[in-house]
């Protein structure tokens, strides 16, 4: 497969950056998208040029490290997959593929296609935890009955890998889907009730401080999320937030 | 309290509540206007009530004006903030692959509706204030139908109204159902409600278009 790649190149956070075109040949349909970039980078290194920097880690869709806006969509054209799970058979011979970093004021570009998603870590640190008794009398979590529906909903919310596709897809660069998933996974469980009031307030406050946009309920985040995190989480977060605020 | 006012969730909550209030008002406005097609006397009677009832004039009207102003000011504030959240735009962005045109362009449909409100106030509200409070005419309960029909004799005005109501439809198609999501109502029951919001978003603006065309064609 012969392709034309248009890739965002940016030396560092202060560089203006620009799109650079790279022709590439010999790409197989069974290659993953990241393997295709590996091939490109080998060619660049052999020519003495700087390889294209991009985030990746597990390469099996569970770590949330890979990102990339591919032809105008986070993680590319396929649904419910991360960039590392995207295969080149999703493209055709002769295609031009535009590859950009996730764009958001809260996700500054570090280099080329790598962005700093530390804002997500800080939102998580603001309330994405539960306090447990570590004195030696810790109660086994399995001894606390949890409604099956709530357990399932909580688990679904917890499958968010924090990749940032929701922010990248949203026309407002909003992080509501991520934040709401992290709020929901605790809000639905008895262990999460104790800090529920502070949690949602602190996480929303941190989300706003990071400079993310507001949710317009376009639903783009849900469609592009590689884990299918539901918009119902945002509605739940809104309820939790207004309820917590009314309590003071 | 300061934190609540600055909060993105609270702003969207307030935006949704003001939108739901305006949707409610729209239904009431449509009901009265539609009576003009069925019975001029009923239209006159209801308009007279709305124009003279102290509760409507002193309480509901100021609340309505506040609701309208709040909704468009907050809409613009949110839009400015949202644009700042993505300082550099994508070279390639395929919003149509994951969201509706209406949901991505609420600011534009909203601005058209806002411009229409300017025309609508110029047509009906300002003359009403002049008639009652500046020229000080005695109340004539039978004048409303004639004033309405007179406005729809100008084809340019009719076209402007029709185009505006199409944009109102586009605005409501996303805004009405979206407001329930913003106030935290998205569950298995909300899916049925979505059908109602879509029907409402189509029927009410089409009804307003019908009323404008009816009075224009009826008096050719």
């Amino acid at each position: 497969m012969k392709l034309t790649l248009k890739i965002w190149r940016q030396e560092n956070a202060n560089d203006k950056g620009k799109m650079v075109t790279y022709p590439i040949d010999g790409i197989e349909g069974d290659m993953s998208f990241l393997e295709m970039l590996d091939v490109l980078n080998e060619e660049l290194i052999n020519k003495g040029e700087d390889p294209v920097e991009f985030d990746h880690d597990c390469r099996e869709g569970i770590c949330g490290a890979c990102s990339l806006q591919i032809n105008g969509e986070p993680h590319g054209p396929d649904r419910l997959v991360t960039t590392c799970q995207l295969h080149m058979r999703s493209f055709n011979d002769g295609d031009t593929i535009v590859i950009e970093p996730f764009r958001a004021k809260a996700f500054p570009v570090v280099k080329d296609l790598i962005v700093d998603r530390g804002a997500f870590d800080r939102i998580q640190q603001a309330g994405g935890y539960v306090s447990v008794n570590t004195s030696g009398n810790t109660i086994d979590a399995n001894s606390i009955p949890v409604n099956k529906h709530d357990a399932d909903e909580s688990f679904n919310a917890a499958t968010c890998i924090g990749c940032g596709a929701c922010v990248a897809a949203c026309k407002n660069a909003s992080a509501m889907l991520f934040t709401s998933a992290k709020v929901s996974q605790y809000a639905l469980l008895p262990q999460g009730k104790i800090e529920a009031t502070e949690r949602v307030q602190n996480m929303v406050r941190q989300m706003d401080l990071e400079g993310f946009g507001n949710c317009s309920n376009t639903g783009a985040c849900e469609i592009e999320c590689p884990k299918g995190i539901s918009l119902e989480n945002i509605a739940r977060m809104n309820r939790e937030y207004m309820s917590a605020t009314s309590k003071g | 309290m300061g934190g609540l006012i600055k909060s993105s969730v609270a702003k969207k909550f307030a935006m949704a509540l003001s939108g739901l209030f305006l949707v409610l008002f729209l239904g009431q406005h449509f009901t009265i206007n539609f009576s003009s097609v069925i019975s001029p006397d009923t239209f006159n009677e209801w308009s007279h009530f709305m124009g003279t009832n102290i509760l409507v004039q002193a309480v509901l009207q100021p609340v309505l004006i506040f609701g309208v102003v709040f909704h468009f000011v907050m809409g613009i504030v949110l839009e400015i903030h949202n644009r700042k959240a993505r300082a550099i735009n994508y070279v390639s962005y395929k919003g149509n692959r994951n969201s509706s045109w209406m949901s991505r362009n609420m600011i534009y449909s909203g601005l058209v509706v806002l411009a229409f409100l300017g025309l609508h106030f110029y047509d009906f509200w300002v003359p009403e204030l002049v008639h009652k409070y500046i020229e000080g005419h005695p109340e004539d309960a039978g004048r409303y139908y004639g004033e309405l029909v007179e406005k729809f004799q100008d084809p340019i005005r009719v076209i402007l109204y029709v185009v505006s109501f199409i944009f109102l439809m586009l605005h409501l198609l996303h805004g009405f159902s979206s407001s329930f999501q913003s106030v935290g109502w998205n569950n298995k029951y909300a899916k049925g409600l979505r059908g109602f919001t879509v029907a409402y978003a189509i029927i009410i603006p089409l009804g307003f278009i019908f009323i404008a065309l009816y009075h224009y064609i009826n008096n050719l």
Side-chain angles (χ1 to χ4, degrees):
Chain A
M1 198 185 291
K2 193 183 277 190
L3 301 163
T4 302
L5 305 177
K6 290 179 182 287
I7 302 178
W8 182 261
R9 301 303 309 262
Q10 185 172 334
E11 192 57 38
N12 54 51
N14 299 319
D15 183 27
K16 202 177 165 193
K18 61 180 179 183
M19 297 299 290
V20 178
T21 302
Y22 298 99
I24 190 167
D25 200 356
I27 299 301
E28 300 291 333
D30 290 340
M31 285 180 178
S32 78
F33 198 85
L34 295 186
E35 285 168 343
M36 182 274 293
L37 288 177
D38 291 338
V39 171
L40 172 72
N41 276 345
E42 276 188 34
E43 287 181 12
L44 292 175
I45 290 166
N46 287 339
K47 285 194 280 186
E49 296 179 27
D50 265 355
V52 177
E53 301 272 353
F54 60 90
D55 269 323
H56 61 103
D57 192 4
C58 74
R59 296 207 177 199
E60 53 187 12
I62 56 171
C63 76
C66 61
S67 52
L68 305 187
Q69 184 85 352
I70 301 164
N71 279 349
E73 289 182 88
H75 299 300
D78 290 2
R79 296 290 175 244
L80 300 172
V81 295
T82 52
T83 296
C84 61
Q85 297 170 299
L86 176 67
H87 284 82
M88 296 313 295
R89 53 180 167 266
S90 298
F91 301 91
N92 298 312
D93 185 41
D95 276 0
T96 295
I97 305 174
V98 180
I99 310 168
E100 299 172 81
F102 283 177
R103 294 284 189 203
K105 185 181 151 198
F107 287 170
V109 173
V110 176
K111 185 173 184 184
D112 294 337
L113 302 170
I114 296 178
V115 296
D116 179 359
R117 286 170 281 182
F120 272 13
D121 296 333
R122 292 186 287 276
I123 292 171
Q124 185 79 335
Q125 286 159 5
Y129 52 82
V130 291
S131 295
V132 292
N133 183 349
T134 56
S135 65
N137 299 318
T138 308
I139 300 169
D140 190 315
N142 290 322
S143 67
I144 305 170
V146 179
N147 175 292
K148 174 76 166 66
H149 177 262
D150 290 344
D152 288 348
E153 290 288 296
S154 175
F155 183 84
N156 289 340
T159 59
C160 167
I161 53 176
C163 64
C166 46
V167 175
C170 177
K171 75 179 188 71
N172 308 328
S174 168
M176 286 252 188
L177 193 66
F178 166 79
T179 309
S180 68
K182 299 304 171 193
V183 166
S184 289
Q185 76 183 64
Y186 297 111
L188 287 157
L189 298 178
Q191 293 92 334
K193 301 289 183 199
I194 301 157
E195 291 132 335
T197 304
E198 295 81 19
R199 177 183 302 110
V200 68
Q201 288 179 312
N202 291 342
M203 292 181 85
V204 167
R205 187 181 303 119
Q206 188 62 39
M207 175 184 76
D208 291 341
L209 283 174
E210 297 291 346
F212 292 106
N214 300 284
C215 176
S216 292
N217 304 322
T218 67
C221 52
E222 182 184 57
I223 300 289
E224 299 290 358
C225 174
K227 298 300 165 187
I229 302 294
S230 167
L231 284 180
E232 287 180 25
N233 290 298
I234 298 181
R236 183 179 296 108
M237 181 176 73
N238 293 349
R239 287 198 301 275
E240 288 272 324
Y241 184 84
M242 296 311 290
S243 166
T245 306
S246 67
K247 288 175 190 164
Chain B
M1 192 65 188
L4 179 66
I5 292 167
K6 287 178 189 167
S7 154
S8 55
V9 173
K11 282 181 196 160
K12 286 297 298 179
F13 196 90
M15 188 71 180
L17 286 184
S18 63
L20 285 172
F21 170 70
L22 295 177
V23 164
L24 205 63
F25 164 74
L26 206 61
Q28 175 258 326
H29 195 340
F30 171 73
T31 306
I32 293 175
N33 281 24
F34 194 70
S35 71
S36 71
V37 173
I38 300 167
S39 162
D41 289 341
T42 306
F43 178 74
N44 277 331
E45 191 182 325
W46 287 358
S47 299
H48 174 68
F49 173 79
M50 296 300 285
T52 54
N53 183 274
I54 189 70
L55 187 68
V56 172
Q57 290 294 304
V59 180
L60 291 184
Q61 189 163 263
V63 170
L64 174 64
I65 292 167
F66 174 77
V68 170
V69 172
F70 178 85
H71 195 70
F72 82 74
V73 168
M74 185 58 90
I76 291 168
V77 166
L78 290 172
E79 180 68 17
I80 291 169
H81 180 255
N82 291 341
R83 288 185 182 222
K84 283 182 184 166
R86 177 167 289 135
I88 301 172
N89 287 325
Y90 289 110
V91 171
S92 173
Y93 181 71
K94 290 187 182 154
N96 60 344
R97 287 262 304 154
N98 52 39
S99 53
S100 68
W101 185 93
M102 288 84 76
S103 71
R104 297 193 309 276
N105 293 282
M106 289 295 278
I107 186 68
Y108 299 115
S109 56
L111 286 173
V112 172
V113 173
L114 180 61
F116 164 74
L117 279 180
L119 173 68
H120 192 55
F121 281 8
Y122 172 78
D123 277 350
F124 291 98
W125 198 53
V126 174
E128 183 70 10
L129 292 179
V130 170
H131 181 87
K132 279 201 290 197
Y133 303 115
I134 296 176
E135 295 174 353
H137 292 291
E139 176 57 14
D140 173 11
R143 69 188 165 91
Y144 297 99
Y145 182 78
E147 288 173 1
L148 174 78
V149 170
E150 185 201 340
K151 292 294 178 193
F152 291 120
Q153 298 317 296
D154 178 5
I156 303 294
R157 181 176 271 103
V158 172
I159 290 169
L160 287 175
Y161 270 62
V162 168
V163 170
S164 300
F165 286 129
I166 290 170
F167 276 89
L168 176 66
M169 185 192 297
L170 297 173
H171 199 74
L172 289 178
L173 275 170
H174 175 68
F176 194 8
S177 61
S178 167
S179 57
F180 288 102
Q181 164 80 8
S182 290
V183 298
W185 200 19
N186 183 348
N187 51 35
K188 58 184 176 182
Y189 305 110
K191 289 179 176 62
L193 184 69
R194 181 167 163 70
F196 169 74
T197 64
V198 169
Y200 189 97
I202 293 170
I203 291 168
I204 297 292
L206 279 183
F208 276 117
I209 288 173
F210 172 76
I211 293 165
L213 291 176
Y214 173 84
H215 289 301
Y216 176 69
I217 294 168
N218 204 32
N219 290 280
L220 278 176

